[in-house]
Amino acid sequence: MATPHLVTTDRPFGLTMGTGANPSPVIRIVIGIGEHAVSADTESVIVTHALGSCIAVCVHDPVAHVGGLLHFLLPDSRINPARAQQQPSTFADLGIPQLFQDLYRIGAIKSRCVVKLVGGADVTSLQNAGTLVIGRRNQVA
């Protein structure tokens, strides 16, 4: 099995193998908020949990058999420059370009990439939230 090319911003990935009577050879790469990962390993799966207003950007190049996932929290890094420096994948404006650069580095071709977005919920349900509607702002980003 090839070693997956992984990118993280603040902590080691949670890697788990299948369990039970017939363990699966699939490696689950679990990323958290403000992290991303890419892999060229056909036996790995990249997952994230609990999106809420966050967005998961899922990218796959079916010809090169590479994929990646970004779990970003906020749309714009100007909100918190210090955090942007330490954990750029927290922000759409920094994380999305980095995700694609890492995918291109391991063989993805832009014209073949299939991109799916998940998340962006309005979890606050506040009538007067105004600019605090993070889910909608994340969708726009």
Side-chain angles (χ1 to χ4, degrees):
M1 173 170 36
T3 302
H5 173 81
L6 305 175
V7 177
T8 186
T9 56
D10 72 341
R11 65 176 179 82
F13 289 98
L15 299 176
T16 60
M17 296 291 287
T19 60
N22 296 314
S24 167
V26 174
I27 297 172
R28 290 173 45 93
I29 303 164
V30 182
I31 64 167
I33 298 170
E35 298 178 335
H36 77 277
V38 297
S39 179
D41 181 352
T42 59
E43 295 182 19
S44 66
V45 176
I46 305 170
V47 299
T48 194
H49 304 284
L51 287 168
S53 61
C54 295
I55 300 266
V57 180
C58 311
V59 184
H60 180 243
D61 180 334
V63 176
H65 303 289
V66 300
L69 189 145
L70 163 71
H71 182 152
F72 73 84
L73 174 66
L74 296 167
D76 192 334
S77 61
R78 292 176 294 180
I79 295 168
N80 188 337
R83 186 167 184 183
Q85 188 87 21
Q86 293 178 338
Q87 195 177 17
S89 291
T90 300
F91 304 95
D93 64 330
L94 300 177
I96 293 170
Q98 187 63 57
L99 173 67
F100 277 92
Q101 289 169 11
D102 291 340
L103 284 164
Y104 300 151
R105 192 175 303 120
I106 63 169
I109 302 294
K110 183 178 183 178
S111 62
R112 297 189 308 227
C113 287
V114 178
V115 179
K116 303 286 183 177
L117 304 177
V118 182
D122 178 9
V123 295
T124 60
S125 299
L126 297 175
Q127 292 276 336
N128 297 321
T131 60
L132 298 177
V133 184
I134 299 298
R136 188 169 303 126
R137 291 175 56 210
N138 281 341
Q139 291 172 24
V140 170

